[in-house]
Amino acid sequence: MPQNTRGTSARGESMNLTDSARAIDALRSAVQSKNDERVAHAAMMNIWPLYSVHAAELVEAVEGLPSPVLERYPVLRILHRMTPVLARTSRPFKPLIYPDDARNMSPDELDIFTLVQMVAFRLSGDVAAAMIYARRLQDRIVEIRVESRERPDGPLWFYHQQIGSTLLAAGETAAALLEFTTARDLGRLSPQADAERMALGRTALAHAVRGSLDDAESTLDEIALLPQVTHAHAASTMMTERCARALLAVDQMAPEAGALLSRLETYDSIELTWPFALLARTRHLLALQHPDDAVEAVSLAHDAHPDQHGSFATDVINAVSIEALWSIGDTTSARRLADSSARSGVLSRMAIIRHALLESRLDTAAAGLRQMSAARSLGPGQRAEATLLSAWLECALTDGIAAETAAQVARIASRPGKRRLISTMPLQLIERVRERLSPEDAVAFSALTGGLDSADHPRRPALTASEIRVLHALPLHATTAEIAAALYVSPNTIKSQLRSLYRKLGCSTRDDAISIASRLRLLNTETSNRP
């Protein structure tokens, strides 16, 4: 629940943000006094050097304080290991501040409190509100000069690290990368042993999500040269790096993907990285044609966390659900979710376009692709996916593709990190690309796409609107003439459309067409069941 603070320090006393020796002496002296209020005050007034150098003692001291004391020190409550657990279940932690208290705080205290508000709202699942405090802290850094921020041993690198993490949680990966770059540059100067590695780990994860696989791999290579992370930040740092590696392996469809995924956090994790782990796992499951397992994974993760309003987590859940529900045959739920997710993030919008193509709603797909083309923050992987979806649309509209389109698809296929994306394309498109390439390029393209058929989802062929009408008429009318009369066109037109329909379905008879269309869920249930 929202908590108000009535001040965090005695008036006239300045917060210590640099002297770790003085900080730990003050905390130990307070602990020895067995005075809870004194312990809380010493911890609060020395919060940054304690967190940076003596994290274990700080957390132990905080967890020894009774709840009534912690209620008056919300900055300390964020350090309690029970806070994130309770925040995602029964007790959202959303500290507020009275205007009078804010006026009595020093700039350092306001920085710290704004940081805590950002992290607290993020832990409680309200990423949209966390973004408000992230912007507020960004503004303070730019507009208000504070001496402690200008010191190498100050907290500025951590502010940028946490702002970037909030942007990452919101799916704003491009903006997050800028914050992580600043955090890394400052971290190199900081005496905090983990500063640079923490920033690099989140950088690698952001690149992996954006599909900048080369950048992600080079960043992970840099991390390998750094010292081992200390205990205080081991869990979050190692899980961030593991998520980045797993996403890379899944996109590359590498043999080690399964082993890497097994090392990720569970679905009910409280780490910031849980939606990224969910994305890696579900992408892998869908590539293996296990949509039921993907639906179960999403359900478990969703039930274990509060609704993540305005978050990357919601984007992942919606996008995976649309594709997985369609793949298991629950087209009604997939369509309902696609219709309700139009304002979601990039992943959901891509899934909506894909779903529209699968259902031959080509106008919807075209409108979605136009919107995506106007987006400036897409990563390389997302731009590649948009290009492939555009090629799919072109193939569906014309039953063929231009040579330039074929060349674009072939270039994407030549990148090892795009194998998963290529595997999601319909075989019809792959065949049309091969037909439009030169003999030499076609051989190379076949080698690149070889072995992907077994990992490809069984895709429905892309039918035109006229072909769909004819298909739905087949179970209802016995002859071509009856279909022509029902659709108000000539029998020759129906014959032409039937030839095209049979070719796309890979059959030559009416009964086979109905059977294949039913299996691929191209026919409405009520239509296919009619005599």
Side-chain angles (χ1 to χ4, degrees):
M1 297 178 64
Q3 298 176 346
N4 284 285
T5 177
R6 283 295 185 184
T8 58
S9 68
R11 295 191 181 183
E13 184 179 357
S14 60
M15 179 179 280
N16 168 32
L17 293 183
T18 57
D19 192 336
S20 61
R22 181 168 67 116
I24 193 60
D25 286 345
L27 180 65
R28 289 170 178 170
S29 175
V31 169
Q32 289 175 358
S33 74
K34 300 187 183 304
N35 183 311
D36 292 333
E37 188 68 32
R38 184 179 169 189
V39 171
H41 183 73
M44 181 62 219
M45 295 310 296
N46 298 278
I47 187 72
W48 176 248
L50 289 173
Y51 179 77
S52 297
V53 184
H54 305 284
E57 283 192 66
L58 172 63
V59 171
E60 183 180 0
V62 167
E63 292 183 349
L65 296 173
S67 292
V69 173
L70 286 176
E71 294 299 321
R72 297 194 297 274
Y73 292 88
V75 173
L76 299 183
R77 180 170 283 283
I78 202 74
L79 298 171
H80 200 296
R81 286 176 295 181
M82 284 297 292
T83 297
V85 178
L86 296 175
R88 68 175 175 86
T89 54
S90 57
R91 293 185 60 193
F93 178 48
K94 300 179 178 181
L96 303 177
I97 186 171
Y98 292 112
D100 288 344
D101 292 336
R103 282 190 288 270
N104 290 328
M105 285 185 177
S106 69
D108 286 326
E109 288 178 292
L110 274 175
D111 281 353
I112 293 288
F113 196 79
T114 305
L115 171 75
V116 167
Q117 288 177 303
M118 174 180 65
V119 175
F121 276 81
R122 195 175 73 206
L123 288 175
S124 297
D126 194 345
V127 177
M131 282 291 295
I132 293 174
Y133 292 104
R135 302 298 186 198
R136 189 172 296 175
L137 185 56
Q138 283 180 317
D139 291 342
R140 288 187 55 80
I141 291 171
V142 172
E143 297 171 3
I144 301 173
R145 183 176 180 180
V146 179
E147 190 273 337
S148 63
R149 297 200 216 112
E150 299 178 4
R151 295 174 57 102
D153 55 354
L156 185 57
W157 74 267
F158 192 70
Y159 295 163
H160 285 286
Q161 171 78 4
Q162 289 302 314
I163 291 170
S165 296
T166 301
L167 290 166
L168 190 61
E172 296 189 17
T173 53
L177 283 171
L178 294 176
E179 295 294 330
F180 294 141
T181 297
T182 303
R184 192 263 177 101
D185 291 340
L186 293 168
R188 286 170 168 167
L189 306 175
S190 173
Q192 166 52 253
D194 300 324
E196 184 177 3
R197 183 162 180 170
M198 290 170 66
L200 281 175
R202 293 282 158 89
T203 298
L205 183 57
H207 281 313
V209 171
R210 291 173 60 77
S212 306
L213 304 190
D214 290 343
D215 289 332
E217 287 182 337
S218 64
T219 303
L220 289 170
D221 288 342
E222 287 187 71
I223 290 173
L225 301 176
L226 295 176
Q228 288 295 314
V229 66
T230 64
H231 177 74
H233 304 108
S236 62
T237 302
M238 296 303 295
M239 200 55 67
T240 296
E241 295 167 15
R242 289 175 184 174
C243 279
R245 290 191 181 92
L247 282 167
L248 292 179
V250 168
D251 274 346
Q252 295 163 347
M253 298 185 72
E256 65 270 20
L260 290 172
L261 289 168
S262 69
R263 301 179 64 202
L264 298 186
E265 57 217 276
T266 58
Y267 297 119
D268 58 353
S269 168
I270 60 175
E271 294 289 343
L272 176 139
T273 47
W274 74 262
F276 303 91
L278 178 65
L279 178 63
R281 281 198 176 96
T282 52
R283 279 180 170 177
H284 187 61
L285 290 169
L286 291 172
L288 295 178
Q289 301 185 52
H290 297 160
D292 294 280
D293 292 336
V295 170
E296 176 68 5
V298 167
S299 178
L300 290 172
H302 181 269
D303 290 346
H305 297 88
D307 288 336
Q308 301 275 310
H309 175 58
S311 69
F312 181 76
T314 296
D315 194 22
V316 171
I317 288 171
N318 288 345
V320 172
S321 297
I322 290 169
E323 184 167 354
L325 287 169
W326 185 90
S327 295
I328 64 176
D330 191 353
T331 55
T332 300
S333 296
R335 179 71 175 274
R336 185 185 303 117
L337 184 56
D339 291 343
S340 65
S341 303
R343 296 184 180 274
S344 297
V346 172
L347 300 180
S348 296
R349 283 180 281 160
M350 290 289 191
I352 290 168
I353 295 169
R354 185 183 302 277
H355 182 262
L357 287 167
L358 289 167
E359 294 200 328
S360 296
R361 292 183 289 116
L362 304 184
D363 289 345
T364 299
L369 285 167
R370 284 194 297 271
Q371 291 180 345
M372 295 303 296
S373 66
R376 297 182 178 181
S377 60
L378 296 183
Q382 296 152 353
R383 287 195 295 269
E385 184 172 4
T387 297
L388 292 174
L389 293 174
S390 295
W392 184 348
L393 175 62
E394 182 182 336
C395 186
L397 289 169
T398 66
D399 195 23
I401 58 173
E404 181 181 354
T405 303
Q408 289 177 329
V409 174
R411 281 195 295 271
I412 292 172
S414 69
R415 301 296 301 276
K418 300 299 185 287
R419 282 182 65 80
R420 181 190 62 82
L421 277 182
I422 291 293
S423 77
T424 66
M425 293 297 106
L427 297 179
Q428 178 187 359
L429 173 61
I430 301 300
E431 292 167 0
R432 295 295 178 268
V433 170
R434 189 181 295 113
E435 292 169 1
R436 293 293 284 166
L437 296 174
S438 68
E440 181 180 349
D441 290 341
V443 170
F445 181 72
S446 295
L448 291 167
T449 56
L452 291 182
D453 291 358
S454 61
D456 193 14
H457 291 281
R459 298 292 184 187
R460 299 186 294 181
L463 304 179
T464 66
S466 297
E467 291 164 350
I468 292 172
R469 286 196 297 270
V470 171
L471 175 62
H472 281 82
L474 286 179
L476 308 177
H477 304 286
T479 67
T480 300
E482 290 179 4
I483 296 175
L487 299 182
Y488 303 101
V489 297
S490 71
N492 285 337
T493 297
I494 297 299
K495 290 178 182 178
S496 175
Q497 291 170 346
L498 279 173
R499 284 195 297 271
S500 176
L501 179 63
Y502 290 165
R503 178 177 56 78
K504 290 183 178 181
L505 292 176
C507 63
S508 57
T509 69
R510 170 193 297 262
D511 289 343
D512 284 346
I514 294 173
S515 176
I516 293 170
S518 297
R519 176 167 51 84
L520 296 178
R521 300 184 294 277
L522 285 162
L523 287 171
N524 293 333
T525 303
E526 61 270 22
T527 301
S528 59
N529 288 338
R530 289 180 62 175

